[in-house]
Amino acid sequence: MNQVPYDRVKIARDSSRPTGVDYIKNIFKGFIELHGDRRFSDDPAIVGGLAVLNGIPATVIAIEKGHTAKERAARNFGAPGPEGYRKALRLMKQAEKFGRPIICFVDTSGANCGIGAEERGQGQAIAENLMEMTTLCVPIISILIGEGGSGGALALAVADRVWMLQNAVYSVISPEGCASILWKDSAKAETAAASLKLTAEDAKSFGVIEKIISENDIGTVDFYDRIRALLLEEIAELSVDPDLINKRYDRFRRIGVDAIKHQAEVL
Amino acid sequence: MALLNFLKPKNQLEEGGRTAAPVQQDAGEPEKKCPNCHKDIPISRLAANNLVCSCGYHFRMKARQRLHMIADKGTFCELYADMKSGNPLDFSGYSEKLESVRKISDEEEAVICGIAKIGKQKCCIFVMESTFMMGSMGSVVGEKITLLFEYATEHHLPVVGFTVSGGARMQEGLLSLMQMAKTSAAVKRHSDAGLLYIAMLTDPTTGGVTASFAMEADIILAEPSATIGFAGARVIEQTTKKALPKGFQTSEFVMEHGFIDGIYHRNNQKKLLTILLRMHNGGKGNESSTL
């Protein structure tokens, strides 16, 4: 396959790919959606609730983009606002209270970029999730199924395990945004995509993710069965780990340390 | 809070609290144009007033100047000064960019960390530097902030932080993004240990820094008219094709919407921080405080 990183971006954005709700419906049983952030509204870009994973009650949260043009507009194109992140945090705290594992499906080009989102504290909402997720005392597994766009994706991915689909991308900024800032030319997105090192292989090499999930059978029963088996295996291990929170801290603590030079070495 | 009324910003130069004697204006003295009142102000007069114009406009301030203004004389002891960014992604042009901003800013990175006393009270302090890639957060900034919070937690010290940042640093890609989670984890440990963290947001505080440690303090303050937000105003305008409301993403706007505790004139910040630290028993939790 003669793929360049930007091809991955295009695949990750393809509207025919399974979306968050497809994963919830096919991996779990008996999904009961729980709406609203109890503060302002119910964000359609984030779907969350209770579901059963082979007999285990779990809290599942997914960013939902929708498939058709109509669905995508109704889901705000999978760009969550502060209400979405606050709903997610409410459900995660509920999971902690009742001792349920948390599974997140992440797929967003980024947090909602709008006047209302800023007025209601988009930055604060993301910050609060990052901070609170670091000490939730139940297992958290996040799977990037399409686009992992910056802080808006990370706000559901401060987890014990982070996995990526083979063609998912994870980046600090969109390739278009990067190209427009650095070279004042969003057409250079292809170059930016290569520079940003946003593929699943890159993320794994940085220690940002643990596992890459093959997409050869994406959308089939086998595909979802495989993810269910991976989740069960991992949850069984994490559920009995007495040092879960410290290990989660260390997981993020070490990232970037290798990128630092100390003066003594430089001279 | 009535007790703090005397700290409310006063726009007159003389009433600011830390002003030197009026400087004689000499015809040949260099001046700077104030973007707010459009007057030419002699540099020496600005310098004597912590770079605040008599109209109240706050010019950006270098991190070391800020430390000089906030820390008690001779008490600042810098930590982690030897850390430099590499180019972990081999991002085209980044190494050269780092070299040039090191010269421009006269700093090794976009944040200065250390220990200092403010009003005789020991605390950990960080100050971000706008002239170093607009205070963007890469691996070094994330690591230094994290180390500082870890140090503060271990030594039961409060943290006082001055933010200025365009957000996560693109040139370090995912590694920059992850610093948001890493710093947040360290802030959480510090907070769970019952310790005080005060953030002062200065112009501009945006993106990944707003969405992490800037918005995670116990008390969040800001300088007047600073830009504070998550997404960039230009991007929002282009995306929504709507005119932005007046004063969008200013300190005043963010306070009106409930996301910061107060706005303080630069000349009053040291006094305020001193009082706040004292009210928290020097920022240490779990001990009874006596004023």
Side-chain angles (χ1 to χ4, degrees):
Chain A
M1 244 189 330
N2 240 343
Q3 264 188 347
V4 295
Y6 197 61
D7 294 328
R8 301 283 187 96
V9 177
K10 285 189 251 176
I11 297 171
R13 288 173 179 169
D14 189 336
S15 63
S16 66
R17 263 174 101 72
T19 60
V21 169
D22 296 323
Y23 285 85
I24 294 179
K25 285 187 178 158
N26 287 289
I27 294 172
F28 300 85
K29 283 202 174 111
F31 176 60
I32 301 168
E33 186 167 359
L34 300 175
H35 290 273
D37 68 346
R38 303 290 190 273
R39 299 285 184 272
F40 180 72
S41 73
D42 183 40
D43 188 340
I46 291 191
V47 173
L50 299 172
V52 182
L53 186 71
N54 270 30
I56 307 167
T59 288
V60 289
I61 298 164
I63 301 180
E64 173 60 26
K65 277 185 176 171
H67 292 285
T68 64
K70 201 176 162 191
E71 281 170 6
R72 288 167 89 84
R75 295 291 182 184
N76 208 6
F77 306 94
E83 298 75 49
Y85 296 111
R86 290 183 184 126
K87 168 165 69 175
L89 185 60
R90 177 176 79 82
L91 297 178
M92 289 192 271
K93 294 245 177 189
Q94 191 184 74
E96 182 179 48
K97 176 176 175 183
F98 296 105
R100 292 191 287 263
I102 299 163
I103 296 115
C104 297
F105 297 95
V106 180
D107 185 13
T108 182
S109 56
N112 183 294
C113 174
I115 295 165
E118 294 292 320
E119 286 174 333
R120 297 190 297 279
Q122 186 70 280
Q124 186 275 337
I126 294 171
E128 189 169 7
N129 279 25
L130 302 184
M131 197 170 165
E132 293 300 323
M133 286 178 83
T134 62
T135 54
L136 288 174
C137 62
V138 289
I140 311 173
I141 300 174
S142 294
I143 309 180
L144 279 82
I145 56 172
E147 284 184 279
S150 198
L154 182 64
L156 293 182
V158 182
D160 302 298
R161 300 286 184 270
V162 183
W163 302 339
M164 279 174 81
L165 271 280
Q166 185 187 329
N167 289 311
V169 292
Y170 200 3
S171 181
V172 68
I173 187 169
S174 72
E176 292 79 7
C178 176
S180 134
I181 294 171
L182 282 186
W183 306 302
K184 315 280 175 232
D185 184 1
S186 59
K188 289 193 174 149
E190 194 164 317
T191 315
S195 305
L196 284 166
K197 304 264 168 33
L198 44 61
T199 68
E201 290 83 356
D202 294 322
K204 191 149 187 274
S205 75
F206 297 138
V208 168
I209 64 164
E210 281 80 15
K211 212 186 276 292
I212 300 172
I213 298 170
S214 152
E215 289 190 14
N216 297 339
D217 52 356
I218 191 165
T220 65
V221 173
D222 284 352
F223 172 73
Y224 292 117
D225 284 350
R226 202 150 47 81
I227 297 177
R228 188 187 307 112
L230 290 173
L231 285 170
L232 281 166
E233 190 187 331
E234 210 68 47
I235 288 168
E237 191 190 316
L238 295 171
S239 299
V240 295
D241 192 336
D243 205 26
L244 191 69
I245 294 170
N246 284 331
K247 284 182 185 165
R248 193 182 302 146
Y249 187 90
D250 294 339
R251 187 189 179 282
F252 288 92
R253 182 66 188 82
R254 62 174 183 263
I255 299 176
V257 173
D258 294 341
I260 298 166
K261 294 185 200 163
H262 292 265
Q263 206 84 341
E265 298 166 28
V266 177
L267 292 173
Chain B
M1 208 178 186
L3 179 67
L4 297 178
N5 271 350
F6 72 97
L7 284 169
K8 287 245 171 80
K10 291 171 183 153
N11 283 337
Q12 282 79 27
L13 191 64
E14 292 74 27
E15 291 180 313
R18 272 177 57 95
T19 344
V23 179
Q24 285 296 318
Q25 199 175 332
D26 133 28
E29 200 188 343
E31 294 177 327
K32 202 163 179 169
K33 199 175 208 57
C34 173
N36 184 48
C37 70
H38 308 290
K39 282 185 193 145
D40 294 315
I41 312 135
I43 298 274
S44 63
R45 208 167 99 198
L46 266 185
N49 196 41
N50 292 319
L51 303 186
V52 182
C53 176
S54 55
C55 75
Y57 180 81
H58 285 53
F59 284 86
R60 283 186 190 151
M61 194 176 214
K62 296 263 297 172
R64 299 228 178 241
Q65 276 176 284
R66 222 176 250 291
L67 278 166
H68 182 75
M69 172 182 90
I70 293 294
D72 295 354
K73 201 175 174 205
T75 63
F76 178 68
C77 172
E78 189 168 358
L79 294 170
Y80 328 122
D82 68 327
M83 289 188 187
K84 283 171 87 119
S85 293
N87 185 359
L89 271 56
D90 285 323
F91 200 103
S92 162
Y94 182 41
S95 302
E96 297 75 15
K97 177 84 185 167
L98 284 171
E99 271 317 305
S100 74
V101 293
R102 277 177 193 134
K103 289 196 188 95
I104 292 165
S105 65
D106 211 16
E107 295 294 343
E108 289 301 330
E109 253 300 336
V111 69
I112 299 170
C113 294
I115 303 163
K117 282 186 177 170
I118 299 175
K120 301 192 179 116
Q121 296 164 100
K122 195 173 171 187
C123 61
C124 285
I125 186 165
F126 70 84
V127 186
M128 302 184 81
E129 175 59 58
S130 65
T131 63
F132 197 104
M133 298 185 78
M134 196 38 84
S136 63
M137 173 160 66
S139 301
V140 172
V141 170
E143 181 69 15
K144 285 172 86 167
I145 299 263
T146 302
L147 283 169
L148 189 74
F149 274 93
E150 287 175 341
Y151 182 95
T153 307
E154 193 187 331
H155 294 87
H156 306 287
L157 288 170
V159 176
V160 172
F162 289 80
T163 62
V164 50
S165 182
R169 191 175 295 168
M170 281 186 298
Q171 292 87 340
E172 291 185 34
L174 263 185
L175 297 179
S176 297
L177 183 67
M178 293 302 133
Q179 304 311 310
M180 292 168 63
K182 179 164 129 181
T183 52
S184 297
V187 174
K188 183 66 161 60
R189 281 196 170 177
H190 182 256
S191 178
D192 286 350
L195 299 165
L196 175 71
Y197 166 31
I198 304 170
M200 179 72 73
L201 316 190
T202 76
D203 183 60
T205 295
T206 60
V209 167
T210 295
S212 62
F213 58 86
M215 282 288 164
E216 292 167 346
D218 298 295
I219 298 173
I220 309 174
L221 308 166
E223 292 201 328
S225 305
T227 294
I228 299 167
F230 177 63
R234 195 175 49 91
V235 181
I236 295 172
E237 204 160 32
Q238 281 167 2
T239 311
T240 61
K241 296 179 178 69
K242 280 183 196 155
L244 301 175
K246 196 167 180 287
F248 185 62
Q249 291 185 329
T250 57
S251 313
E252 294 74 15
F253 175 94
V254 176
M255 186 162 87
E256 190 190 320
H257 286 90
F259 290 96
I260 59 172
D261 292 289
I263 299 171
Y264 289 89
H265 189 287
R266 200 173 278 162
N267 291 347
N268 296 324
Q269 291 170 4
K270 176 160 181 165
K271 205 165 195 176
L272 174 71
L273 290 171
T274 302
I275 292 170
L276 289 174
L277 287 169
R278 197 173 296 150
M279 288 180 108
H280 292 82
N281 193 25
K284 287 172 206 140
N286 312 327
E287 287 167 45
S288 65
S289 56
T290 39
L291 286 171

